[in-house]
Amino acid sequence: MQIRTRLTLQFISICAGILLISLFYIYTQFKNNLLNEFNESLHSKSIMIAEMVVGKVSDYPFHNLNTQPLNEYQDLYRENISIYDQAGQMIYSFNPNSSDLPRNKLAEIISRKKYLFSSEDYQSVGIIYTNQKGLKFVVVAEGMFNPLHLENLTRILLYVFFLCISLISLGGWIFAGQALAPIRSIMNQVDEIIPNDLGNRLKMSTQGDEISRLVITFNRLLDRIQKAFKLQEMFLSNISHEIKNPLNIIISQIEVTLARDRKVEEYLEVLDSVRKESMELNEVGDKLLQLAKVTSEGTVIHFSPIRIDELVWQSRNSLIKSSPEFKVHIEVKQLPEDESKLYTQANEHLLKICLINIMENGCKFSSDHSIRVALSMKDHDRIMLVITDKGPGISKEEIDLIFNPFYRGRHVSKIKGAGIGLTLAKTILELHNIELQVDSVTDEGTHFVLIFPKFQNRTES
């Protein structure tokens, strides 16, 4: 069922329920008013007849005061007024053929002074009447209630109900269509968006309603999709370049070497060059696997207390062992006397990869392949690690981009790299809730500031 149809039916159901309750209330109140007026009329007639018949009667026992003869139309009487003495004996009846009132009814009238009751098709009112001589009589007025007015009202209410339901249905269908018109517009705009042109965005209304929020949310989704497509294109461009270049070098060197016989030293030189290019390919593959492992869903990462200063030294030694030309100078400032503050909850392997990647990135882009690592306390309870390089610096526009996968800055395109290291490092830092700040000055260098969370002595997994 379409939303427009469902909204219309719900609108009709709600309005029909409210309308039925209102019409039923009108019908009930009108019926009660008619019955009250009818009973009041009987009451007035009973008093009037009583005053006329027994208003001045004083002798007792009473004789039959009914002077109307029996006739053939006696069954057509629609009203009757009867008068009884205190003993329950009928002394007058407007209908000559009326039957005596049951004793229990007379007792109720005498007890309540005024008693409303119904018998067969008649509505009855019984009262106690005291005449001018002080004698008490029971006066009972009976009448057949005419439902004609109620029937007319019922027909009118039914007409009103079906007319209102028809108008409500039409109005609900129109209003539902107007309410869903922005949704149809959004659907049409979405249909016009194609993968080859993700720059289009949905037009947003200025009403600030839920539809506007939906458009904003969808445009943000398009931004993320467009970003993912750009990352994919960047990945294909960079990774193909990073893989193709070493392979071309390896293939060309092998082909040149095999073209003729060479000395052993030349073969060794070629093999060493092939080894270096193969190691670069292997490094790219390792970083891609690490990034895929860290970002994949369902991966369980175990944390344990790790001493930060020791991890920094281990990361430095691992980096220098793999790249002896790099230089890492470590400075330790104002460390706490309490050694427990030097610990953090972390996965040692991943955090070590993160530090190595940041250090390697700084050494790679520094003119002398050296960096400075400063370890100090921040706010007396958190460790701060500052890694400073002497590279060309990063522009403000590029600072937010350097952590995107496979992004390469404009000024470092000649330096080998796949643009994966910093992405992997930031992902690992986010897993550990380690705050990262980047400050850079063009042609002077860049500071990577890592602020570790306050250590809590517990094991997490």
Side-chain angles (χ1 to χ4, degrees):
M1 182 183 294
Q2 293 186 349
I3 295 179
R4 183 177 186 180
T5 304
R6 185 164 63 248
L7 288 177
T8 303
L9 292 178
Q10 291 175 350
F11 184 66
I12 292 173
S13 300
I14 294 173
C15 292
I18 296 174
L19 188 59
L20 281 175
I21 294 173
S22 302
L23 296 182
F24 179 76
Y25 177 78
I26 293 173
Y27 176 84
T28 304
Q29 290 296 109
F30 185 76
K31 180 180 179 181
N32 291 335
N33 289 336
L34 283 180
L35 287 174
N36 290 336
E37 290 179 2
F38 182 75
N39 290 330
E40 287 298 324
S41 174
L42 291 179
H43 181 265
S44 299
K45 290 178 180 179
S46 63
I47 293 177
M48 181 181 65
I49 296 298
E51 289 180 349
M52 292 173 58
V53 176
V54 295
K56 298 180 180 181
V57 173
S58 60
D59 54 335
Y60 186 87
F62 304 106
H63 60 280
N64 191 344
L65 301 176
N66 188 5
T67 59
Q68 296 185 18
L70 295 176
N71 57 66
E72 55 184 297
Y73 303 107
Q74 59 191 7
D75 293 333
L76 299 180
Y77 282 87
R78 299 183 61 86
E79 290 186 358
N80 180 41
I81 298 177
S82 302
I83 301 177
Y84 298 85
D85 59 15
Q86 290 283 359
Q89 182 68 34
M90 180 188 295
I91 60 175
Y92 173 82
S93 177
F94 184 74
N95 182 358
N97 200 32
S98 63
S99 57
D100 291 342
L101 193 67
R103 290 290 178 179
N104 61 334
K105 299 293 184 181
L106 286 171
E108 287 289 341
I109 296 172
I110 294 173
S111 173
R112 300 186 183 186
K113 308 303 181 183
K114 183 178 181 181
Y115 181 47
L116 303 177
F117 60 94
S118 57
S119 57
E120 295 180 354
D121 297 330
Y122 288 90
Q123 289 289 119
S124 303
V125 176
I127 62 171
I128 298 297
Y129 172 77
T130 303
N131 68 358
Q132 297 178 4
K133 304 297 183 179
L135 298 178
K136 295 181 181 296
F137 300 89
V138 176
V139 183
V140 178
E142 300 174 310
M144 295 183 67
F145 180 73
N146 188 354
L148 179 62
H149 296 302
L150 282 178
E151 293 173 356
N152 292 334
L153 177 63
T154 302
R155 284 194 297 271
I156 294 172
L157 294 180
L158 287 175
Y159 293 152
V160 170
F161 176 78
F162 287 112
L163 177 61
C164 290
I165 290 297
S166 300
L167 295 176
I168 289 171
S169 302
L170 179 61
W173 181 259
I174 295 174
F175 291 146
Q178 293 178 347
L180 295 174
I183 302 295
R184 290 195 299 271
S185 175
I186 292 175
M187 293 169 60
N188 294 333
Q189 294 181 59
V190 171
D191 287 337
E192 295 176 358
I193 298 176
I194 57 177
N196 295 332
D197 185 13
L198 292 175
N200 292 333
R201 293 295 180 267
L202 303 182
K203 296 179 180 178
M204 183 172 56
S205 65
T206 59
Q207 296 180 359
D209 54 9
E210 290 79 0
I211 302 298
S212 300
R213 292 175 56 190
L214 175 63
V215 171
I216 294 173
T217 303
F218 199 88
N219 284 338
R220 289 174 180 171
L221 175 62
L222 288 175
D223 291 338
R224 294 193 292 269
I225 293 175
Q226 186 178 21
K227 182 179 179 181
F229 270 80
K230 287 183 178 179
L231 289 176
Q232 184 182 20
E233 293 174 0
M234 193 183 302
F235 166 75
L236 294 175
S237 174
N238 286 282
I239 205 64
S240 61
H241 180 270
E242 295 300 325
I243 293 177
K244 185 178 180 180
N245 282 353
L247 286 176
N248 287 337
I249 294 173
I250 291 173
I251 293 172
S252 61
Q253 287 180 338
I254 293 175
E255 288 177 347
V256 171
T257 303
L258 293 176
R260 62 182 176 84
D261 293 337
R262 298 180 183 275
K263 296 179 181 180
V264 175
E265 293 79 6
E266 293 179 353
Y267 284 117
L268 291 176
E269 184 180 350
V270 170
L271 287 175
D272 184 61
S273 177
V274 170
R275 180 185 63 84
K276 290 181 179 179
E277 298 296 336
S278 300
M279 289 178 63
E280 289 185 7
L281 283 175
N282 186 61
E283 182 182 356
V284 172
D286 286 342
K287 289 183 177 180
L288 285 174
L289 288 175
Q290 291 168 356
L291 182 61
K293 183 178 180 180
V294 172
T295 57
S296 64
E297 295 183 1
T299 302
V300 179
I301 300 175
H302 298 278
F303 292 77
S304 60
I306 302 297
R307 184 158 170 156
I308 300 173
D309 56 341
E310 294 180 355
L311 187 64
V312 172
W313 282 101
Q314 293 174 10
S315 302
R316 171 192 178 275
N317 295 335
S318 298
L319 176 61
I320 293 177
K321 184 178 180 181
S322 61
S323 303
E325 70 277 13
F326 291 164
K327 300 179 183 63
V328 179
H329 305 287
I330 298 179
E331 300 177 4
V332 179
K333 303 177 182 179
Q334 301 176 351
L335 290 184
E337 297 180 359
D338 185 2
E339 293 186 356
S340 64
K341 293 184 178 181
L342 290 172
Y343 283 82
T344 186
Q345 290 286 346
N347 181 284
E348 182 176 0
H349 175 68
L350 291 179
L351 195 53
K352 187 176 180 181
I353 291 174
C354 171
L355 295 178
I356 291 174
N357 282 336
I358 297 178
M359 291 179 183
E360 180 186 19
N361 188 78
C363 291
K364 188 185 299 183
F365 297 117
S366 294
S367 56
D368 58 355
H369 300 301
S370 68
I371 60 171
R372 187 178 75 253
V373 179
L375 187 67
S376 61
M377 287 294 296
K378 177 180 175 62
D379 303 330
H380 305 290
D381 58 357
R382 293 194 296 172
I383 294 294
M384 182 171 66
L385 190 66
V386 181
I387 302 173
T388 305
D389 63 40
K390 300 177 182 178
I394 307 170
S395 64
K396 294 182 179 180
E397 295 78 12
E398 289 185 312
I399 285 181
D400 294 333
L401 301 175
I402 60 175
F403 297 104
N404 290 341
F406 318 112
Y407 178 80
R408 300 294 309 280
R410 295 189 299 268
H411 303 294
V412 297
S413 58
K414 295 181 180 180
I415 300 176
K416 290 185 178 181
I420 305 174
L422 288 182
T423 302
L424 179 60
K426 185 179 182 182
T427 303
I428 294 173
L429 292 176
E430 290 175 347
L431 286 174
H432 289 79
N433 294 321
I434 298 174
E435 183 180 345
L436 173 64
Q437 300 174 0
V438 181
D439 299 318
S440 184
V441 178
T442 305
D443 298 328
E444 293 186 13
T446 304
H447 303 278
F448 286 84
V449 182
L450 279 63
I451 303 175
F452 292 79
K454 184 178 180 180
F455 174 67
Q456 295 180 352
N457 191 13
R458 58 186 177 86
T459 301
E460 301 181 13
S461 60

